[in-house]
């Protein structure tokens, strides 16, 4: 009896999930790497002039309706939303200013993908995070999970979708670049293979010492992103969060896979509980102990 | 056990209070239809910054924790073999079955495309095993069914004496089968909440950097698990007290007292784990100086500690009023912990805010009204509650 009860309590502790995490870091999964065919973008704040040509091009390329929801006249979205997959913002403080481009970061180990129940959001070809309609039930867990606040929901639709930058994967299939990169007059945002973009960013930093903050955002942040940033102002001023080097979904993965590996712990717990109950019933004990 | 035999309460169903509940439910139902017509934007206070609100934080996360009475009682009676608590099991199971059913309906109302929900259980090959929410979804679906099966003997007992011979024979046959099989359903009824109540902590853990450091910890699943068990016991104490009063039944004071002892221990453990974890990870300084967040954390801590202390000594447990008050505080503490970790401590960045809209709130009230209505109807018609001897008239 004592032994089965102990087994039960043990199982309970496991299911709590935390014993696994705090005591057995050995089961922590290896950090993920960008896929071999990974592509991405490099945005350089020192080159952007804020013309917003990329915002318009993105709208056109992705068949998004104009966002005239402010004054019903101008197509002027305030931030990423269900009609805006790409936006240019302006940071201004104490005489310093910088433009900032926001869109999906196409994380190497994305939190939204870790959240998504049956894989509507996944890293598909070229490591691009895309959304598949018929696997989405609209639970919006991706929105809760994304540290960049990127996935957007069609709040005014009866059959809502998740809207986010998919790196113009429909254009890539035609041999074209993402619309924002193609249209940029200053090459402030460029498209390319992930490895080459990373090399280019490093080269620019080496060629222009002192021009940039001493870091490529996305090289390691949150486990790395396929969209990289160079900036002359601190990244947190541009709204890019300090995530550390660990991928956001890693802690969850460690716990889920530690506890539920092969469903052994739950199965053992189930059998143990059944066995304890059978034994209790056989003893016919109706609660003598108090 | 004969003195503990459960019997229907009886009496008329359409009382004035039932009419009020029915009205609230009808308004909620009408607003639900409207919500599906216009979408979630116009009908709720939700936004891209706060994609989850009242329905998830209350109906699902808090509601299922409050519905853990069935789980907590089953652990005690069947695993720790405290058969003396048996009379509390059926009402606890009914509250759980109703609470989880309401949570399931809440999810259907909350998600944007509920017509695809059926794909979750059948898309086995596509399951994302990283997703704690997937596990919650599967477990909750299964557990709703398991709870009604666990409760089925109450229905079968009644139907056995039905005038309809077909129904009576069917119930008798099924009863025999259930006598043997029930243990395995009960075991499932304990495994599933262990899994998904802890996973509700994992779900919000993924918000990672957007969840305040006082709440974000690898211990979230564990804290969610033990607090839901405490909440389960508290609800059992409250429900037993209230229904003995409402239906003029004898109370099970002694039982509730020793139950409260267990609860007290769990509460102390909860607070201890939280503080030790914070200090070990160097987050102790956040306890002061984080303004609003520190205040909320301390409010939670006081609400968890106070009932733990009230119930720690046998003197506190001797008084039903003290136990009831402590149980209410536990329910508030556990609910606040859940609201804080899903809403208050969740920070999507500047410019976002959330407050539930009126329709959103009324829909939730409608669901609660439905839950109470069905509870009253079922205990009046089916053998759920025990303690047949009516209480003295002046106590009614």
């Amino acid at each position: 009896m004592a032994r089965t009860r102990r087994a039960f309590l043990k199982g309970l502790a496991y299911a709590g999930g935390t014993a696994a995490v705090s005591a057995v870091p050995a089961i922590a999964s290896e950090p993920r790497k960008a896929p071999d065919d990974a592509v991405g973008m490099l945005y350089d704040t020192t080159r952007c002039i804020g013309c917003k040509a990329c915002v318009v091009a993105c709208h056109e390329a992705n068949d998004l309706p104009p966002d005239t929801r402010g004054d019903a006249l101008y197509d002027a979205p305030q931030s990423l939303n269900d009609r805006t997959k790409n936006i240019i913002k302006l940071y201004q403080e104490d005489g310093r200013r910088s433009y900032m481009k926001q869109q999906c970061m196409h994380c190497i180990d994305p939190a939204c993908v870790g959240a998504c129940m049956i894989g509507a959001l996944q890293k598909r070809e070229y490591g691009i995070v895309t959304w598949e309609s018929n696997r989405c039930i609209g639970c919006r867990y991706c929105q809760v999970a994304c540290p960049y606040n990127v996935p957007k929901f069609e709040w005014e639709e009866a059959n809502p979708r998740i809207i986010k930058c998919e790196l113009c994967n429909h254009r890539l299939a035609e041999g074209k670049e993402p619309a924002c990169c193609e249209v940029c007059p200053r090459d402030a945002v460029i498209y390319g293979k992930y490895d080459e973009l990373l090399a280019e960013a490093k080269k620019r930093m080496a060629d222009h010492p002192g021009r940039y903050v001493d870091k490529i955002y996305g090289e390691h942040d949150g486990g790395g992103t396929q969209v990289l940033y160079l900036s002359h102002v601190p990244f947190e001023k541009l709204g890019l969060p300090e995530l550390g080097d660990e991928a956001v979904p890693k802690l969850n993965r460690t716990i889920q896979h530690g506890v539920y590996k092969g469903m052994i712990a739950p199965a053992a717990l189930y059998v143990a509980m059944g066995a304890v109950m059978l034994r209790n019933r056989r003893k016919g004990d109706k609660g003598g102990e108090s | 056990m004969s003195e503990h035999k459960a019997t229907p309460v009886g009496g008329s169903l359409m009382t004035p209070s039932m009419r009020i509940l029915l009205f609230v439910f009808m308004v909620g139902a009408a607003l639900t239809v409207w919500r599906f017509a216009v979408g979630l934007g116009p009908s709720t206070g939700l936004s891209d910054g706060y994609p989850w609100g009242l329905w998830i934080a209350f109906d699902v996360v808090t509601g299922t924790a409050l519905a853990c009475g069935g789980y907590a009682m089953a652990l005690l009676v069947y695993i720790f073999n405290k058969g003396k608590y048996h009379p509390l099991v059926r009402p606890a199971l009914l509250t759980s079955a109703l609470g989880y059913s309401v949570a399931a309906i809440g999810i259907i109302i909350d998600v944007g495309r509920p017509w695809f929900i059926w794909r979750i259980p059948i898309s086995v090959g596509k399951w994302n095993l990283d997703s704690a929410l997937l596990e919650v979804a599967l477990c909750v679906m299964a557990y709703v069914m398991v709870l009604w099966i666990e409760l089925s003997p109450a229905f079968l007992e009644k139907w056995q004496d039905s005038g309809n011979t077909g129904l009576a024979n069917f119930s008798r046959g099924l009863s025999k089968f259930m006598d043997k099989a029930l243990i395995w359903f009960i075991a499932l009824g304990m495994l599933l909440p262990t899994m998904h109540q802890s996973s509700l902590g994992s779900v919000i853990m993924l918000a990672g950097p957007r969840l305040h450091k006082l709440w974000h910890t690898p211990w979230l699943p564990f804290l969610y698990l033990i607090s839901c068990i405490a909440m389960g016991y508290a609800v059992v104490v409250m429900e037993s007290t209230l229904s003995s009063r409402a239906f003029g039944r004898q109370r099970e004071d002694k039982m509730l007292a020793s139950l409260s002892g267990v609860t007290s221990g769990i509460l102390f453990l909860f607070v201890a784990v939280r503080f030790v974890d914070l200090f070990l990870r160097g987050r102790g300084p956040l306890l002061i100086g984080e303004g609003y967040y520190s205040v909320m954390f301390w409010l939670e801590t006081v609400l968890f500690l106070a009932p733990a202390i009230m119930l720690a000594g046998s003197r506190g447990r001797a008084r039903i009023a003290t136990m009831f008050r402590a149980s209410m505080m536990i329910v508030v503490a556990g609910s606040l912990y859940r609201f804080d970790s899903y809403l208050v401590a969740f920070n999507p960045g500047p410019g976002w805010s959330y407050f539930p809209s009126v329709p959103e709130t009324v829909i939730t009230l409608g669901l609660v009204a439905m839950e109470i209505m069905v509870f009253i109807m079922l205990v009046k018609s089916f053998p759920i509650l025990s303690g047949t001897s009516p209480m003295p008239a002046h106590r009614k």
Side-chain angles (χ1 to χ4, degrees):
Chain A
M1 180 66 210
R3 186 173 297 165
T4 30
R5 191 174 289 177
R6 209 173 303 132
F8 161 73
L9 288 170
K10 227 181 195 172
L12 204 67
Y14 269 120
T18 49
V21 171
S22 356
V24 200
I27 56 170
S29 48
E30 284 293 301
R32 297 195 173 175
K33 293 203 175 84
D36 293 337
D37 63 348
V39 297
M41 298 193 291
L42 170 62
Y43 175 75
D44 186 333
T45 58
T46 64
R47 296 189 177 198
C48 182
I49 53 167
C51 70
K52 299 185 183 178
C54 57
V55 180
V56 177
C58 174
H59 259 96
E60 283 174 10
N62 291 288
D63 284 330
L64 296 164
D67 187 7
T68 53
R69 283 172 293 191
D71 53 9
L73 184 58
Y74 291 104
D75 180 9
Q78 293 297 298
S79 58
L80 294 181
N81 61 36
D82 59 347
R83 298 180 195 175
T84 311
K85 296 179 174 185
N86 168 55
I87 197 158
I88 296 290
K89 292 190 175 180
L90 173 66
Y91 157 73
Q92 215 169 1
E93 196 178 47
D94 303 333
R96 276 200 307 179
R97 53 191 290 168
S98 169
Y99 289 104
M100 168 63 182
K101 182 176 185 293
Q102 283 183 340
Q103 74 294 304
C104 177
M105 303 289 282
H106 298 282
C107 302
I108 287 169
D109 188 354
C112 62
V113 170
C116 193
M117 288 190 279
I118 49 175
L121 284 165
Q122 270 182 40
K123 272 181 97 66
R124 295 193 169 90
E125 203 179 7
Y126 309 126
I128 299 172
V129 180
T130 56
W131 178 80
E132 193 184 305
S133 170
N134 60 11
R135 292 194 194 188
C136 176
I137 66 157
C139 73
R140 311 185 294 283
Y141 191 19
C142 51
Q143 296 194 292
V144 172
C146 175
Y148 303 104
N149 212 343
V150 163
K152 299 299 168 194
F153 185 75
E154 291 184 313
W155 294 99
E156 286 149 49
E157 297 293 327
N159 184 16
R161 297 173 299 170
I162 291 292
I163 304 290
K164 66 178 275 301
C165 158
E166 299 181 314
L167 213 65
C168 281
N169 62 338
H170 61 292
R171 288 169 55 90
L172 300 185
E174 298 164 7
K176 296 184 200 156
E177 291 191 358
C180 57
C181 299
E182 186 186 78
V183 78
C184 183
R186 299 258 302 166
D187 281 340
V189 62
I190 56 170
Y191 165 79
K193 290 204 163 118
Y194 173 73
D195 298 338
E196 290 167 12
L197 291 173
L198 198 55
E200 170 66 17
K202 283 176 180 162
K203 183 172 174 295
R204 284 188 201 177
M205 285 178 79
D207 290 352
H208 305 281
R211 177 184 284 184
Y212 302 105
V213 173
D214 189 24
K215 170 179 162 167
I216 303 166
Y217 192 97
E219 187 181 8
H220 304 292
D221 303 78
T225 55
Q226 287 176 221
V227 176
L228 302 167
Y229 285 79
L230 282 176
S231 170
H232 62 289
V233 298
F235 291 108
E236 63 268 21
K237 301 285 186 192
L238 302 178
L240 286 168
E242 287 184 60
L243 299 177
D245 289 353
E246 191 165 292
V248 174
K250 195 177 158 191
L251 174 61
N252 267 70
R253 187 178 303 126
T254 308
I255 292 187
Q256 290 299 111
H257 288 236
V259 176
Y260 294 106
K261 188 159 196 176
M263 289 303 280
I264 293 168
L269 180 59
Y270 180 62
V271 172
M273 287 193 296
V276 172
M277 278 191 286
L278 276 180
R279 190 173 180 137
N280 288 345
R281 185 158 78 173
R282 217 172 297 135
K283 270 166 56 183
D285 191 340
K286 292 214 174 80
E289 42 180 328
S290 57
Chain B
M1 290 288 276
S2 56
E3 74 271 26
H4 288 319
K5 187 111 182 75
T7 48
V9 173
S12 121
L13 289 180
M14 235 339 133
T15 57
S17 47
M18 281 292 260
R19 276 193 193 110
I20 297 170
L21 291 169
L22 189 63
F23 174 74
V24 177
F25 167 70
M26 297 296 277
V27 177
L31 285 171
T32 303
V33 173
W34 173 70
R35 165 259 170 273
F36 276 106
V38 300
L40 286 161
S43 53
T44 70
L46 299 170
S47 63
D48 284 323
Y50 285 95
W52 287 351
L54 181 70
W55 292 338
I56 295 297
F58 179 75
D59 301 13
V60 180
V61 179
T62 307
T64 60
L66 292 173
C68 275
Y71 167 48
M73 290 313 299
L75 277 179
L76 205 60
V77 170
Y78 297 105
I79 296 299
F80 295 99
N81 206 22
K82 309 275 188 187
K84 60 175 179 175
Y85 295 115
H86 211 275
L88 298 180
V89 170
R90 260 189 202 176
L93 278 176
L94 176 59
T95 331
S96 296
L98 289 170
Y100 270 87
S101 303
V102 160
I105 297 169
I107 292 169
I108 292 169
I109 299 173
D110 180 86
V111 299
R113 303 144 70 93
W115 38 90
F116 285 157
I117 285 180
W118 59 271
R119 288 191 175 154
I120 297 174
I122 64 157
S123 304
V124 182
K126 294 171 182 166
W127 283 353
N128 173 16
L129 300 180
D130 287 3
S131 172
L133 192 65
L134 172 75
E135 194 215 309
V136 171
L138 293 173
C139 277
V140 168
M141 286 181 201
Y143 190 45
V144 170
M145 284 187 279
V146 166
L147 277 167
W148 288 107
I149 292 171
E150 280 187 81
L151 195 60
S152 65
F155 300 103
L156 297 176
E157 261 170 42
K158 160 119 178 183
W159 289 332
Q160 278 175 34
D161 307 325
S162 158
N164 180 334
T165 37
L167 183 62
N169 287 338
F170 168 78
S171 303
R172 246 172 250 134
L174 197 57
S175 272
K176 262 186 205 143
F177 168 76
M178 288 302 291
D179 272 349
K180 289 213 175 64
L182 198 58
I183 262 187
W184 296 103
F185 284 112
I186 295 170
L188 207 52
M190 287 183 283
L191 175 69
L192 293 173
T194 310
M195 289 167 68
H196 69 247
Q197 283 297 332
S198 59
S199 285
L200 281 170
S202 312
V203 164
I204 200 62
M205 197 168 66
L206 184 62
R210 304 212 282 170
L211 190 60
H212 193 273
K213 284 185 164 69
L214 282 171
W215 281 268
H216 188 266
T217 158
W219 289 89
L220 264 168
F222 183 74
L223 291 170
Y224 262 70
L225 180 64
I226 62 172
S227 60
C228 91
I229 294 173
M231 288 164 83
Y233 286 138
V235 168
V236 169
V237 170
M238 290 173 66
E239 173 196 280
S240 167
T241 315
L242 288 177
S243 51
S244 70
R245 174 152 298 200
F247 302 119
R249 302 245 156 170
Q250 227 166 26
R251 280 197 318 252
E252 309 279 5
D253 286 12
K254 261 193 197 154
M255 245 178 249
L256 299 183
S258 50
L259 201 57
S260 300
V262 180
T263 314
S264 171
I266 297 174
L267 295 172
F268 278 121
L269 178 66
F270 179 91
V271 174
V273 169
R274 267 187 114 181
F275 275 84
V276 170
D277 171 59
L278 278 176
F279 283 109
L280 283 183
R281 292 187 304 131
R283 290 182 177 181
L286 300 179
L287 290 170
I288 42 168
E290 288 285 296
Y292 183 55
Y293 293 110
S294 304
V295 173
M296 292 311 276
F297 184 93
W298 281 106
L299 184 60
E300 283 177 22
T301 304
V302 168
L303 281 166
F304 274 107
L305 269 185
I309 294 164
M310 284 160 78
L311 298 175
S314 49
R315 202 183 305 159
R317 300 203 294 269
R319 294 191 57 233
I320 191 76
T322 308
M323 279 197 291
F324 192 82
R325 235 174 275 141
S327 296
M328 265 176 23
M329 290 174 85
I330 297 168
V331 163
V332 174
S335 305
L336 184 65
Y337 177 57
R338 282 158 173 75
F339 263 89
D340 281 350
S341 38
Y342 270 76
L343 287 175
V344 178
F346 178 78
N347 183 2
W352 298 106
S353 67
Y354 168 76
F355 196 82
S357 73
V358 172
E360 203 177 348
T361 314
V362 174
I363 287 175
T364 288
L365 290 176
L367 286 175
V368 174
M370 179 184 79
E371 189 173 349
I372 301 172
M373 266 192 317
V374 178
F375 182 88
I376 294 174
M377 287 189 317
L378 290 181
V379 295
K380 283 187 171 174
S381 326
F382 292 92
I384 309 275
L385 297 177
S386 305
T388 41
S389 41
M391 294 170 72
H394 69 274
R395 299 281 308 271
K396 272 185 193 174

